[in-house]
């Protein structure tokens, strides 16, 4: 169905002109993905440079995630009256300045603040980028346009993270933040050049955006993401010790394993967009089922290297293929507040990250071994599938009524 938001794309926008605009927005996703994940590979360098312990350094990761959760709804609501192009530029400017501040942060306290500030525009940028991208293409290609924006996040795991990690290890960890800031600045220039201006909806307001939170379907879609995607993170959070302790791979092979996961995210994102354009809810049902199956296969095959390693690729593909459908679903069930709804998806995914990591850690702490998180992941994905099924049933019942 076409976007019900009044900010439909002007008729002068063609497929050819939409491509550069989507690329510019995807570049922002690339910058965000690089800063979010590269710090994990440089954590020992960062903690040594700041003179803190590894557990304390983990707070830098948590601070970023907290910034995402807080910033997504707040900034999306506050920017309700700002034209989408200018909102995207403002959010990327905030992101760029925050990362540049991390280059100059003299101690742990100030670094904690800059990491929180870096996370604030994350969800709101992806939300506004998704709305812009969807408005630039035909209604039958909305989810694919959203997927292309999210592809920047996937490519960051394959290209951006390894490159800046190498830079940080060889030339100083602060270069990672400088590189991200430069990518952010380039993104601003690309948005200025290629993203078309669209006037803000005359009825747009903070109250209108927040009104989406009164819709039960919005909360069901968010819960689907938190629970279902939590299963994905339950496994990925502990992939390194699983591959070394259970699969028996040497530590030197871990970059290959993580790279396979990132490579899986790229086709997963593209396939997820195509599936969601055929049927958003059908895509969620199918992908959730695939996540359950892949998790169970990984649990069974973890001790066998030639089976476990390819399944890491499938884990990345299955998880990332869910994101375009969830993003599009939130935009559909909140037609008059799409920016806030799409932004909240990233708050949900960060909560899923925390939920999966906590539950996966619990079963390991209980002595059930490093394979146990895969069973937790399958259970969470199955629960997410049940929430999605309830959402679909309620929608069909309302349509019949």
């Amino acid at each position: 169905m076409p976007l019900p938001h009044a900010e439909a794309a002007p008729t002068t926008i063609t497929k050819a002109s939409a491509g550069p605009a989507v690329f510019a927005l995807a570049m922002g996703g690339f910058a965000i993905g690089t800063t979010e994940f590269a710090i994990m590979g440089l954590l020992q360098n960062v903690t040594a440079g700041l003179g803190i312990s590894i557990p304390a350094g983990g707070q830098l990761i948590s601070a970023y995630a907290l910034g995402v959760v807080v910033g997504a709804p707040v900034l999306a609501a506050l920017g309700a009256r700002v034209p989408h192009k200018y909102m995207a530029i403002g959010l990327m400017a905030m992101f760029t300045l925050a990362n540049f501040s991390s280059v100059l942060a003299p101690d742990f306290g100030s670094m904690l603040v800059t990491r929180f500030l870096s996370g604030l525009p994350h969800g709101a940028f992806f939300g506004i980028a998704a709305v812009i991208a969807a408005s630039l293409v035909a209604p039958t290609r909305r989810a694919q346009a959203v997927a292309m924006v999210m592809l920047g996040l996937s490519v960051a795991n394959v290209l951006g993270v390894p490159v800046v990690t190498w830079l940080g290890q060889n030339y100083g960890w602060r270069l990672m933040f400088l590189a991200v800031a430069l990518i952010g600045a380039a993104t601003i220039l690309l948005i200025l050049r290629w993203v078309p201006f669209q006037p803000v909806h005359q009825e747009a307001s903070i109250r209108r955006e927040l009104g989406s939170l009164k819709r039960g379907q919005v909360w069901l879609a968010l819960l689907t993401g938190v629970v279902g995607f939590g299963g994905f993170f339950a496994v990925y959070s502990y992939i390194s010790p699983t591959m070394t302790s259970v699969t028996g791979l040497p530590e030197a092979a871990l970059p290959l394993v993580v790279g396979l996961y990132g490579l899986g995210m790229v086709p997963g994102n593209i396939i997820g967009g195509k599936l969601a354009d055929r049927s958003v809810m059908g895509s969620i049902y199918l992908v959730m089922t695939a996540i359950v199956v892949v998790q169970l296969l990984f649990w069974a095959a973890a001790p066998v290297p030639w089976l476990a390693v390819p399944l890491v690729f499938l884990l990345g593909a299955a998880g990332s293929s869910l994101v375009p459908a969830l993003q599009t679903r939130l935009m559909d069930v909140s037609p008059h507040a799409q920016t806030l709804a799409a932004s909240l998806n990233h708050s949900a995914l960060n909560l899923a990250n925390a939920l999966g990591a906590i539950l996966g850690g619990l079963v390991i702490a209980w002595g059930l071994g490093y394979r146990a998180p895969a069973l937790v992941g399958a259970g969470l994905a199955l629960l997410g599938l049940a929430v999605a099924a309830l959402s679909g049933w309620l929608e069909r019942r309302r349509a019949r009524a």
Side-chain angles (χ1 to χ4, degrees):
M1 60 181 258
L3 283 172
H5 198 288
E7 290 181 296
T11 55
T12 55
I13 294 177
T14 64
K15 180 179 178 180
S17 61
V22 173
F23 175 80
L25 298 169
M27 182 65 78
F30 179 82
I32 289 173
T34 300
T35 198
E36 181 179 15
F37 294 108
I39 193 171
M40 299 173 188
L42 288 170
L43 191 59
Q44 288 175 293
N45 306 78
V46 174
T47 54
L50 294 175
I52 57 175
S53 66
I54 293 291
Q59 295 178 32
L60 297 174
I61 299 173
S62 299
Y64 183 92
L66 180 61
V68 178
V69 174
V70 172
V74 172
L75 294 178
L78 290 176
R81 294 289 303 167
V82 180
H84 288 168
K85 176 175 181 174
Y86 300 149
M87 183 67 176
I89 291 171
L91 290 168
M92 189 48 55
M94 182 187 302
F95 171 84
T96 300
L97 289 173
N99 275 277
F100 186 73
S101 297
S102 293
V103 179
L104 305 175
D107 52 37
F108 174 63
S110 56
M111 180 65 76
L112 205 62
V113 172
T114 62
R115 288 302 291 167
F116 175 79
L117 294 176
S118 297
L120 285 175
H122 175 131
F125 178 83
F126 275 119
I128 200 74
V131 173
I132 293 172
S135 73
L136 297 179
V137 299
T140 55
R141 295 178 58 86
R142 291 180 310 139
Q144 291 179 66
V146 172
M148 287 302 101
V149 172
M150 296 304 301
L151 190 61
L153 191 64
S154 301
V155 174
N157 280 278
V158 180
L159 181 61
V161 171
V163 169
V164 300
T165 299
W166 179 83
L167 279 174
Q169 289 173 337
N170 290 278
Y171 300 102
W173 57 270
R174 292 183 187 270
L175 276 180
M176 182 264 284
F177 298 109
L178 179 60
V180 169
L182 292 175
I183 298 170
T187 300
I188 294 172
L189 295 177
L190 292 177
I191 293 174
L192 277 168
R193 175 68 179 85
W194 285 334
V195 174
F197 173 82
Q198 294 171 309
V200 69
H201 191 287
Q202 61 182 0
E203 296 180 6
S205 66
I206 294 178
R207 178 178 296 181
R208 183 184 175 96
E209 290 287 328
L210 294 177
S212 66
L213 299 180
K214 297 178 182 178
R215 300 175 62 89
Q217 287 289 2
V218 170
W219 289 104
L220 286 173
L222 291 171
L223 185 59
T224 299
V226 171
V227 178
F229 221 77
F232 169 74
F233 282 111
V235 174
Y236 185 60
S237 298
Y238 303 99
I239 195 69
S240 294
T242 302
M243 298 306 288
T244 54
S245 301
V246 179
T247 309
L249 295 181
E251 287 189 14
L254 289 180
L256 171 64
V257 172
V258 176
L260 276 175
Y261 165 83
L263 284 173
M265 290 179 67
V266 175
N269 223 312
I270 296 171
I271 293 169
K274 292 182 179 294
L275 290 173
D277 274 330
R278 293 184 178 183
S279 170
V280 173
M281 290 306 296
S283 174
I284 292 174
Y285 300 150
L286 178 63
V287 172
M288 281 291 192
T289 302
I291 291 175
V292 173
V293 172
V294 172
Q295 300 269 28
L296 292 175
L297 287 174
F298 185 75
W299 172 82
V304 185
W306 64 273
L307 289 175
V309 171
L311 280 168
V312 172
F313 177 89
L314 293 180
L315 282 169
S320 62
S321 61
L322 181 63
V323 178
L326 286 176
Q327 192 88 65
T328 307
R329 175 64 176 169
L330 279 163
M331 291 161 63
D332 284 345
V333 297
S334 186
H336 302 298
Q338 291 183 338
T339 302
L340 176 60
S343 299
L344 284 171
N345 188 39
H346 297 274
S347 293
L349 296 182
N350 274 268
L351 289 174
N353 191 342
L355 175 66
I358 290 171
L359 294 180
L362 279 177
V363 294
I364 293 172
W366 291 340
L368 299 177
Y370 287 114
R371 294 169 66 191
L375 295 179
V376 173
L380 286 173
L382 196 59
L383 184 57
L385 178 60
V387 174
L390 173 62
S391 174
W393 177 77
L394 290 173
E395 189 170 64
R396 290 190 301 271
R397 189 180 71 167
R398 180 178 179 184
R400 287 194 300 269

